[in-house]
Amino acid sequence: MTRFSDVAPQLAAQAIELPSWAFGNSGTRFKVFGSPGTARDPFEKIADAAQVHKYTGLAPTVALHIPWDQVPSFEDLKKQADDLGVQLGTVNSNTFQDDDYKLGALTHTDPRIRQKAIDHHFACIDVMNETGSRDLKIWLAEGSNYPGQADLRGRQDRLSESLATIYERIGENQRLVLEYKFFEPAFYHTDVPDWGTSYAQVSALGPRAVVCLDTGHHAPGTNIEFIVMQLLRLGKLGSFDFNSRFYADDDLIVGAADPFQLYRILFEVIRGGGFNSPETAFMLDQCHNIEQKIPGQIRSVLNVQEMTARALLVDTEALTAAQESGDVLEANRIFMDGFYTDVRGDLAAWRETRGLPADPMKAYAASGYQQQIETDRVGGTQAGWGA
Ligand code: PSV
Ligand code: MN
């Protein structure tokens, strides 16, 4: 077994990007609940995100979603982030909340609507140029609900054309990241349902186009770590949207539903060279519908850190030897050894050596920030899905 002190330097370099929308209200199609102290604008979202980084040292960047995070001046937003010790990260486009996109956006049969969706992506690239963001992340809500409703092939061809037009506009040091999801809001088919489709589309674009794997976007029982391995092998695993799910795309706290799956995924990330690599960004894509948002995010990044530590502890030399000698049970024992190792004490002590609180959840709760925002943020409209 590898020792904790041997893996600590790798843990020190770990960075997990937070989604700005985690700090706004969210919910299901049934109800979006408000909660005291919720951020009312992107500036307050950044302030809340900075709290997560302050207590964990794990979350130096915040992803934006346009138009939810549209502000009169991105320079001001960038300054707010700088002042609070974080940076603006990935820019997410949004073509799922406009009436024009009911039957499609980048795949629509009407060239006017396709152009409108392309122009939205151009506007997102303009934002990236102002914020210094590297990644444009595209998730498309497009698809159909009924067999025969749409020409599947025609839509795929139009998608490819639209993406090529957007890719042309991506700067030298920027990337286009295409996320897949097999259902919702479309229920019969989606135009980018799986990693294979995303891979085929981005491969046709070029080297600066990569795939985003959202852990909640697979059918139950899917072997996600296999997909992780394959995309890393192909050099196309651009980023993760981490979250967890019990049934659908639940967007719950990462590691909450199936910590063992998270461990298996992280093991493959490490194995495939995707850990602490600029090529593979770690992000959260979560919604805190009923729990407090800032501690929800703190718990999330700590879950990723804890499972990363366990995956790093696997004695890979011994594992390879067991695999190669055909010792099935010994290989499985070595693999499970990491998962069953309780690293919480080591992590707490190590955090203190780095000037961080041993227990970031407790430190945040004791800081008074939550009470402060609940008192201060009265009036105005709380940020939210706008769904
Ligand atoms: C879609 O379900 C998704 O995972 C995409 O990443 C969106 O941008 C995000 O959720 C936020 O709605
Ligand atoms: Mn996502």
Side-chain angles (χ1 to χ4, degrees):
M1 188 87 176
T2 314
R3 281 173 317 181
F4 182 85
S5 54
D6 295 333
V7 306
Q10 295 179 74
L11 292 172
Q14 185 163 35
I16 305 161
E17 186 160 302
L18 306 183
S20 69
W21 52 101
F23 302 97
N25 292 323
S26 55
T28 65
R29 61 197 165 118
F30 298 101
K31 172 75 180 160
V32 173
F33 294 105
S35 54
T38 294
R40 294 161 299 177
D41 58 40
F43 291 88
E44 291 181 350
K45 291 185 202 171
I46 300 293
D48 292 355
Q51 290 291 305
V52 178
H53 189 48
K54 178 175 174 188
Y55 292 103
T56 64
L58 273 169
T61 59
V62 191
L64 302 178
H65 216 298
I66 306 296
W68 296 338
D69 294 319
Q70 190 66 51
V71 286
S73 158
F74 281 98
E75 205 183 304
D76 289 351
L77 194 65
K78 190 170 173 343
K79 184 164 183 318
Q80 159 89 337
D82 284 346
D83 290 348
L84 296 170
V86 291
Q87 284 187 309
L88 303 178
T90 301
V91 170
N92 290 258
S93 63
N94 181 330
T95 52
F96 47 91
Q97 291 185 315
D98 186 309
D99 283 339
D100 270 349
Y101 301 141
K102 185 161 84 173
L103 298 178
L106 294 181
T107 61
H108 204 287
T109 48
D110 181 343
R112 180 190 70 81
I113 295 179
R114 283 207 304 282
Q115 190 57 49
K116 175 173 166 169
I118 290 169
D119 287 343
H120 167 66
H121 287 88
F122 287 169
C124 287
I125 296 169
D126 290 344
V127 172
M128 290 162 69
N129 293 338
E130 279 187 72
T131 55
S133 303
R134 180 188 63 167
D135 290 347
L136 170 65
K137 180 146 72 69
I138 307 179
W139 169 71
L140 301 166
E142 353 210 338
S144 67
N145 276 0
Y146 297 99
Q149 177 193 325
D151 174 19
L152 303 182
R153 168 64 189 263
R155 292 177 71 93
Q156 202 63 207
D157 293 342
R158 290 189 291 277
L159 174 63
S160 151
E161 253 182 62
S162 300
L163 287 174
T165 310
I166 297 166
Y167 185 72
E168 282 270 291
R169 192 66 81 97
I170 291 279
E172 279 290 299
N173 299 314
Q174 294 173 340
R175 307 190 305 173
L176 182 158
V177 188
L178 183 63
E179 182 173 351
Y180 60 91
K181 178 174 175 176
F182 76 118
F183 87 109
E184 196 195 42
F187 292 121
Y188 166 57
H189 101 276
T190 64
D191 293 301
V192 189
D194 50 28
W195 76 269
T197 304
S198 180
Y199 176 73
Q201 287 284 355
V202 299
S203 295
L205 296 175
R208 284 169 292 117
V210 285
V211 177
C212 169
L213 186 158
D214 183 313
T215 50
H217 290 186
H218 307 84
T222 301
N223 183 337
I224 299 175
E225 58 271 26
F226 185 88
I227 300 171
V228 169
M229 173 282 294
Q230 189 68 287
L231 285 172
L232 280 169
R233 189 178 155 265
L234 296 166
K236 285 288 188 191
L237 184 56
S239 61
F240 277 101
D241 269 5
F242 281 115
N243 51 52
S244 69
R245 47 91 50 96
F246 286 100
Y247 300 105
D249 183 23
D250 304 346
D251 282 341
L252 296 171
I253 289 175
V254 54
D258 187 347
F260 182 41
Q261 180 187 62
L262 178 60
Y263 170 80
R264 300 192 311 264
I265 289 172
L266 289 167
F267 180 84
E268 283 306 327
V269 174
I270 295 163
R271 164 70 180 87
F275 178 59
N276 286 345
S277 153
E279 306 299 316
T280 304
F282 277 29
M283 295 185 292
L284 303 182
D285 180 5
Q286 296 182 181
C287 296
H288 303 290
N289 300 350
I290 55 171
E291 67 276 25
Q292 283 186 341
K293 300 168 200 320
I294 299 169
Q297 290 283 286
I298 293 176
R299 167 73 53 79
S300 305
V301 294
L302 294 178
N303 282 356
V304 176
Q305 182 182 54
E306 196 177 317
M307 226 32 95
T308 304
R310 295 201 210 179
L312 284 168
L313 287 178
V314 174
D315 183 342
T316 47
E317 260 179 52
L319 180 63
T320 305
Q323 288 169 345
E324 290 179 359
S325 68
D327 194 339
V328 176
L329 294 179
E330 178 61 0
N332 180 243
R333 183 197 67 74
I334 294 166
F335 187 82
M336 296 310 292
D337 223 19
F339 179 64
Y340 285 124
T341 304
D342 187 349
V343 291
R344 289 174 298 181
D346 280 334
L347 280 172
W350 171 72
R351 275 184 206 115
E352 282 189 316
T353 67
R354 304 176 63 229
L356 289 164
D359 183 342
M361 292 289 286
K362 243 191 195 157
Y364 171 74
S367 72
Y369 185 86
Q370 189 70 35
Q371 290 78 357
Q372 195 65 50
I373 56 176
E374 289 181 15
T375 311
D376 291 351
R377 295 178 183 169
V378 176
T381 308
Q382 296 190 333
W385 284 95

